[in-house]
Amino acid sequence: MKEKLVLIGNGMAGMRTVDELLKLSPDKFDITVFGAEPHGNYNRIMLSPVLAGDKDLSEIIINDLQWYHDNNITLHTGKTVTKIDRINKKVITADGINADYNRLILATGSVPVILDIPGKDLEGVISFRDINDVNIMVETAKTHKKAIVIGGGLLGLEAANGLMIQGMDVSVVHRNNTLMSQQLDQAAADLMRAELEEKGMHFLMNHHTDALLGDERVEKVRFKDGSEVEADLVIMAIGVRPNIKLANASGIQCDRGILVDDTLQTFTPNIYAVGECVQHRKKTFGLVAPLFEQAKVCANHLFDMGISSYVSNVTSTKLKVTGINLFSAGDYEGDEGTESIVFKDSARHIYKKLVIKNNKIVGIILYGETLDGNWYFS
């Protein structure tokens, strides 16, 4: 009799775990997958090219519906699991579908952080998280002109770039003076801002959003200093947090994320968790490399090989925002115990910085020219 494996979350981390399991043994488990979205597993990292018009949904699907069928996986699309019965080992969806499990994987991902301000529920106020958001942006751009993106991080800038390509007039609102402050220092951020302004992007730095105004659809954004700007579309891109709602409601131990050990098992026997929903040794995850590593370790343990354990490493960010190359990793700000070597050529939009401590590289920023990134990183 095959063991029953249920996966909640048809995203990249969960499905990568299933991929790894199928490689180890295609027949060990009877697999059922629940996904809240209405299609197969797609590459969320590729939403920006879809928005920019370089790709369409069919090109970013990783596993189409036929693939699930070929691998004897039962897929429930457009279904949200609302309850895990840990005593009887079954999961239940909002519309009453039941599935029994011997092992369960939670891969519920993350949810966008939405500013808790008046007007957040108006039509035309969205996040940049899934294909549905992208479709709304593309449709809106056909009939409306002014877009405001709240958040000057990676996701915000990618959304802003895509909306500009779709023909909208875009302003990025950022609460401090450093764009992409998780990847750049002030000097590199200033270079990036100048380059994006040349392309026609507008910036409202050091602005704090106070309210969104409008009757049914958003019409204006008001800031804490009382100033206002017009808006037909508002994208909130101020970050994500682990989606722990289901785990919490089911009595599975959580802190900021679902707590897992080095084998990616939760504190409930037979229940595992991978991806952006987990918290491992105080850390949560937003980049794809650690998620794939987690998937491998989790698959190993589900297969009862039990030989690997998950270690979270320094991650590097390699980006191509709007045609600008960027690579950053480690502690790129430094402190009194570090030295920095900086090369800057403003005319060519190139900036390089190495942060060194005890003769070792502890941080890197490469802006404009990134070919050596991996060499420095290793």
Side-chain angles (χ1 to χ4, degrees):
M1 188 67 182
K2 280 192 196 177
E3 275 194 81
K4 289 188 162 80
L5 175 71
V6 170
L7 166 65
I8 300 175
N10 187 28
M12 294 175 73
M15 284 311 298
R16 185 63 171 249
T17 310
V18 169
D19 270 341
E20 295 285 349
L21 263 179
L22 293 172
K23 274 185 221 161
L24 291 169
S25 162
D27 303 321
K28 183 173 167 67
F29 291 104
D30 182 356
I31 302 174
T32 302
V33 179
F34 289 91
E37 292 184 71
H39 23 65
N41 168 31
Y42 62 87
N43 185 343
R44 216 179 274 281
I45 306 170
M46 299 303 281
L47 286 174
S48 299
V50 175
L51 176 60
D54 298 336
K55 295 202 179 296
D56 61 29
L57 175 61
S58 65
E59 292 176 82
I60 69 165
I61 292 273
I62 302 171
N63 306 110
D64 61 13
L65 299 178
Q66 186 61 42
W67 181 90
Y68 292 85
H69 182 74
D70 294 344
N71 285 283
N72 300 319
I73 294 170
T74 306
L75 173 66
H76 296 285
T77 55
K79 301 287 179 201
T80 304
V81 175
T82 49
K83 191 175 174 207
I84 299 168
D85 177 346
R86 294 185 302 159
I87 311 287
N88 299 308
K89 292 194 178 172
K90 71 171 61 273
V91 303
I92 301 146
T93 66
D95 54 0
I97 293 177
N98 280 334
D100 298 318
Y101 67 83
N102 300 107
R103 312 272 190 109
L104 175 64
I105 306 173
L106 297 175
T108 47
S110 56
V111 286
V113 176
I114 299 294
L115 289 176
D116 193 12
I117 52 174
K120 64 177 182 187
D121 298 326
L122 288 167
E123 193 188 336
V125 180
I126 60 170
S127 53
F128 181 25
R129 187 73 196 123
D130 57 29
I131 200 75
N132 186 40
D133 294 327
V134 173
N135 292 339
I136 292 173
M137 290 189 223
V138 172
E139 283 307 305
T140 305
K142 291 176 183 169
T143 50
H144 294 77
K145 270 291 155 262
K146 289 197 91 65
I148 300 289
V149 176
I150 301 174
L154 165 62
L155 218 60
L157 294 177
E158 291 198 335
N161 179 55
L163 289 165
M164 272 172 56
I165 291 171
Q166 293 288 347
M168 293 189 86
D169 170 24
V170 184
S171 297
V172 175
V173 174
H174 195 51
R175 60 172 180 232
N176 59 33
N177 205 33
T178 316
L179 288 176
M180 285 187 48
S181 50
Q182 290 187 327
Q183 287 90 10
L184 300 178
D185 61 5
Q186 193 63 52
D190 289 346
L191 264 181
M192 171 175 257
R193 183 176 155 193
E195 217 172 325
L196 291 172
E197 281 174 339
E198 278 172 29
K199 291 176 189 260
M201 203 178 282
H202 308 294
F203 292 94
L204 295 161
M205 307 300 280
N206 298 310
H207 275 61
H208 293 263
T209 310
D210 196 37
L212 305 176
L213 313 175
D215 290 334
E216 283 181 9
R217 186 180 182 86
V218 65
E219 291 163 26
K220 282 183 178 167
V221 179
R222 181 193 291 149
F223 301 107
K224 292 219 162 112
D225 62 5
S227 62
E228 295 179 355
V229 291
E230 286 183 17
D232 302 312
L233 181 66
V234 173
I235 316 296
M236 290 208 197
I238 52 172
V240 295
R241 58 166 183 267
N243 181 0
I244 57 174
K245 192 175 158 193
L246 175 66
N248 244 336
S250 307
I252 293 164
Q253 244 179 310
C254 300
D255 180 22
R256 282 176 307 140
I258 300 170
L259 295 171
V260 294
D261 64 14
D262 292 353
T263 68
L264 294 151
Q265 189 155 211
T266 66
F267 285 85
T268 299
N270 301 315
I271 300 182
Y272 295 76
V274 291
E276 292 186 358
C277 61
V278 309
Q279 181 176 336
H280 172 261
R281 301 189 176 214
K282 299 195 162 65
K283 280 182 76 168
T284 57
F285 306 88
L287 295 166
V288 106
L291 308 190
F292 286 172
E293 193 50 44
Q294 289 172 12
K296 224 181 187 124
V297 173
C298 184
N300 253 321
H301 284 274
L302 283 166
F303 192 59
D304 300 324
M305 283 164 56
I307 47 173
S308 56
S309 60
Y310 178 66
V311 182
S312 52
N313 297 312
V314 179
T315 49
S316 64
T317 309
K318 199 172 186 175
L319 304 171
K320 197 163 167 51
V321 186
T322 65
I324 296 169
N325 289 308
L326 167 67
F327 183 94
S328 95
D331 171 16
Y332 51 81
E333 288 289 1
D335 54 33
E336 52 276 12
T338 62
E339 296 173 82
S340 297
I341 302 172
V342 175
F343 167 83
K344 187 173 178 183
D345 181 344
S346 299
R348 286 169 57 216
H349 295 299
I350 289 173
Y351 174 84
K352 300 181 178 186
K353 176 181 181 182
L354 296 180
V355 180
I356 292 169
K357 187 173 191 168
N358 304 332
N359 289 329
K360 278 200 174 123
I361 297 177
V362 292
I364 325 160
I365 293 178
L366 302 177
Y367 179 91
E369 208 176 76
T370 56
L371 289 171
D372 307 334
N374 288 334
W375 186 79
Y376 285 123
F377 185 63
S378 59

